[in-house]
């Protein structure tokens, strides 16, 4: 997401020679990022609140989604603020933290979507073994592994970044960073993405066959049974479409981040500057779009959100009514007191 270190370093030196301040804070651009940051924090916090308040949401799939929401929340709490601070102050330590946070979110999001895909895969293709294979404890272990792997991948780069500094052009750092980003692109992006494409293809084929089978048997089955089977397949298909959109948005936005990093080492400009600005907002926006997708497209989250808002509104109305009644009682007592005092 950020400009590369060589760009910062060269531009900073040029600015110092020209007498300009070494800062790249653009009010319109960065203010828009701040607004997006606030929206990310609010929406992902809402997801966490819904999950904690509504017991019916505590399913295996939703547990993975809430873990993803926690990861997305870090984009709003740390990713965007440190990115803006890095551009504004060009402080090496701040830029290092920003780089670690963005790497963590990139890896975490990909492996969370991979885990969600695998969970759906067993549910669709192996429904009889699903309960025994996908258990609550295993889901928690998978989440712990995702966070551990993401932290390891994000922090390992500090072993060569800290000794030489964020803006240095040391040859050892250059070689280590090149190898790190190439391996990261393959292991943490390309392989999981291709694996998920295979999973989703098989799941869509299986659901399509189920629907065709239900249609052929609808003449024999009664209407209630046929409708129930159709609704079950439709729910599965709806969930798959939601997660496929999440995967597509993530892949489409974060692949530009990997490419923009690799273009530094190739010394080639693949994207114009305007495109990089658009990619910046898309990349950050994924942390907002993810919770919006499964909050408004998944029936359980949508119903929980409507119920939550109704409870809040009812509680506010009850509080207002109680306050009005209390005020009326106080006025009646006060009026009676004034009347008695006038008589005497």
């Amino acid at each position: 997401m950020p400009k590369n270190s060589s760009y910062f370093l060269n531009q900073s030196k040029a600015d110092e020679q020209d007498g300009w301040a070494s800062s790249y804070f653009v009010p319109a651009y960065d203010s828009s990022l701040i607004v997006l940051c606030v929206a990310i924090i609010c929406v992902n916090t809402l997801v966490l609140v819904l999950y904690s308040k509504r017991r019916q949401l505590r399913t295996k799939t939703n547990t993975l989604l809430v873990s993803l929401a926690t990861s997305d929340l870090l984009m709003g709490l740390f990713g965007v603020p440190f990115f803006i601070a890095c551009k504004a102050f060009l402080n090496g330590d701040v830029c290092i933290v920003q780089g670690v946070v963005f790497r963590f979110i990139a890896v975490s999001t990909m492996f969370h979507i991979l885990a969600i895909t695998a969970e759906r895969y067993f549910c669709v293709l192996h429904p009889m073994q699903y309960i025994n294979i996908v258990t609550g404890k295993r889901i928690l272990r998978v989440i712990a592994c995702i966070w551990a792997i993401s932290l390891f991948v994000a922090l390992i780069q500090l072993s060569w970044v800290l000794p030489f500094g964020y803006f240095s052009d040391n040859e050892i750092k250059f070689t280590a960073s090149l190898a790190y980003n190439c391996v990261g692109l393959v292991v943490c992006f390309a392989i999981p993405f291709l694996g998920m494409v295979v999973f989703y293809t098989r799941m869509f084929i299986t659901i399509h066959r189920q629907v065709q089978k239900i249609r052929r048997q609808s003449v024999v089955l009664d209407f209630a049974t046929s409708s129930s089977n159709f609704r079950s397949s439709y729910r599965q298909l709806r969930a798959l479409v939601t997660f496929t959109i999440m995967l597509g948005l993530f892949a489409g936005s974060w692949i530009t981040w990997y490419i923009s990093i690799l273009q530094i080492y190739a010394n080639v400009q693949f994207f114009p500057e305007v495109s990089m600005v658009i990619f910046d907002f898309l990349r950050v926006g994924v942390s907002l779009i993810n919770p919006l997708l499964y909050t408004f497209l998944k029936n359980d989250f949508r119903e929980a959100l409507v119920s939550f808002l109704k409870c809040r509104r009812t509680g506010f109305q009850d509080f207002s009514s109680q306050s009005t009644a209390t005020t009326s009682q106080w006025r009646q007592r006060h009026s009676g007191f004034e009347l008695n005092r006038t008589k005497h």
Side-chain angles (χ1 to χ4, degrees), residues 1 35 40 64 80 109 139 154-155 158 163 187-188 190 222 250 255 270 290 297 313 326 329 334 339 341:
M1 176 174 178
V35 173
I40 289 171
L64 290 168
V80 175
T109 303
I139 290 291
L155 294 176
L158 298 180
V187 176
C188 300
D222 61 274
F250 171 82
I255 187 61
F270 295 110
N290 280 343
L297 293 185
R313 186 173 58 183
T326 304
Q329 292 174 1
H334 184 71
L339 181 61
R341 189 173 66 175

Side-chain angles (χ1 to χ4, degrees), residues 205-241:
I205 292 174
T206 300
I207 293 178
H208 177 71
R209 289 175 178 172
Q210 290 176 355
V211 171
Q212 295 298 321
K213 183 178 179 180
I214 293 171
R215 286 176 178 173
R216 287 194 299 267
Q217 294 177 345
S218 60
V219 179
V220 180
L221 296 174
D222 61 274
F223 177 77
T225 304
S226 179
S227 299
S228 176
N229 291 336
F230 266 117
R231 284 196 299 269
S232 177
S233 298
Y234 175 76
R235 283 195 298 268
Q236 290 179 338
L237 182 61
R238 188 184 182 92
L240 288 185
V241 170

Side-chain angles (χ1 to χ4, degrees), residues 14-86:
D15 287 345
E16 289 175 0
Q17 292 174 358
D18 294 338
W20 294 93
S22 299
S23 177
Y24 299 94
F25 182 85
V26 181
Y29 170 80
D30 292 300
S31 298
S32 301
L33 279 178
I34 292 173
V35 173
L36 186 57
C37 172
V38 173
I40 289 171
I41 294 173
C42 293
V43 173
N44 284 285
T45 301
L46 176 62
V47 171
L48 298 181
V49 170
L50 288 176
Y51 183 82
S52 63
K53 296 290 186 180
R54 296 292 184 266
R55 186 178 296 274
Q56 66 270 23
L57 289 180
R58 298 172 193 173
T59 63
K60 299 168 186 176
T61 304
N62 289 343
T63 300
L64 290 168
L65 290 174
V66 167
S67 180
L68 174 60
T70 305
S71 176
D72 287 333
L73 184 61
L74 295 180
M75 176 65 84
L77 293 176
F78 301 104
V80 175
F82 276 104
F83 170 59
I84 295 175
C86 175

Side-chain angles (χ1 to χ4, degrees), residues 101-244:
V101 172
F102 269 88
R103 179 71 64 173
F104 171 83
I105 293 172
V107 177
S108 173
T109 303
M110 176 55 85
F111 282 117
H112 271 101
I113 298 177
L114 176 61
I116 293 168
T117 303
E119 187 267 341
R120 288 292 86 194
Y121 180 83
F122 284 111
C123 181
V124 174
L125 269 73
H126 305 284
M128 304 303 294
Q129 296 83 20
Y130 173 80
I131 297 178
N132 296 325
I133 296 175
V134 183
T135 63
K137 290 183 179 180
R138 286 178 179 171
I139 290 291
L140 295 178
R141 290 172 187 169
V142 168
I143 291 174
C145 288
I146 291 173
W147 282 78
I149 292 172
S150 301
L151 283 173
F152 174 76
V153 172
L155 294 176
I156 192 175
Q157 59 185 316
L158 298 180
S159 60
W160 60 83
V161 173
L162 288 178
F164 300 105
Y166 184 80
F167 296 112
S168 68
D169 287 329
N170 183 276
E171 184 176 353
I172 298 176
K173 177 192 168 187
F174 180 89
T175 304
S177 298
L178 176 60
Y180 170 73
N181 284 288
C182 289
V183 173
L185 175 61
V186 174
V187 176
C188 300
F189 186 88
I191 294 177
F193 178 76
L194 293 176
M196 282 185 280
V197 169
V198 174
F199 286 161
Y200 278 117
T201 302
R202 292 196 62 185
M203 284 189 285
F204 277 116
I205 292 174
T206 300
I207 293 178
H208 177 71
R209 289 175 178 172
Q210 290 176 355
V211 171
Q212 295 298 321
K213 183 178 179 180
I214 293 171
R215 286 176 178 173
R216 287 194 299 267
Q217 294 177 345
S218 60
V219 179
V220 180
L221 296 174
D222 61 274
F223 177 77
T225 304
S226 179
S227 299
S228 176
N229 291 336
F230 266 117
R231 284 196 299 269
S232 177
S233 298
Y234 175 76
R235 283 195 298 268
Q236 290 179 338
L237 182 61
R238 188 184 182 92
L240 288 185
V241 170
T242 300
F243 300 139
T244 304

Side-chain angles (χ1 to χ4, degrees), residues 326-344:
T326 304
T327 303
S328 300
Q329 292 174 1
W330 181 85
R331 287 177 177 174
Q332 291 175 0
R333 288 198 299 266
H334 184 71
S335 299
F337 173 76
E338 291 292 338
L339 181 61
N340 291 334
R341 189 173 66 175
T342 301
K343 290 180 179 180
H344 289 294

Side-chain angles (χ1 to χ4, degrees), residues 265-338:
Y265 304 99
N267 198 23
V268 177
Q269 187 73 26
F270 295 110
F271 303 111
E273 201 65 29
V274 176
S275 300
M276 295 304 297
V277 172
I278 297 174
F279 293 149
D280 286 350
F281 280 95
L282 288 176
R283 208 168 299 121
V284 175
V286 168
S287 295
L288 174 64
I289 296 172
N290 280 343
L292 288 177
L293 278 174
Y294 57 75
T295 299
F296 292 105
L297 293 185
K298 281 186 90 271
N299 289 332
D300 53 355
F301 263 105
R302 188 172 63 252
E303 292 172 359
L305 177 61
V306 172
S307 175
F308 179 77
L309 294 177
K310 284 183 179 179
C311 290
R312 290 295 177 184
R313 186 173 58 183
T314 303
F316 178 76
Q317 291 175 348
D318 292 343
F319 176 77
S320 299
S321 301
Q322 186 178 1
S323 299
T324 303
T326 304
T327 303
S328 300
Q329 292 174 1
W330 181 85
R331 287 177 177 174
Q332 291 175 0
R333 288 198 299 266
H334 184 71
S335 299
F337 173 76
E338 291 292 338

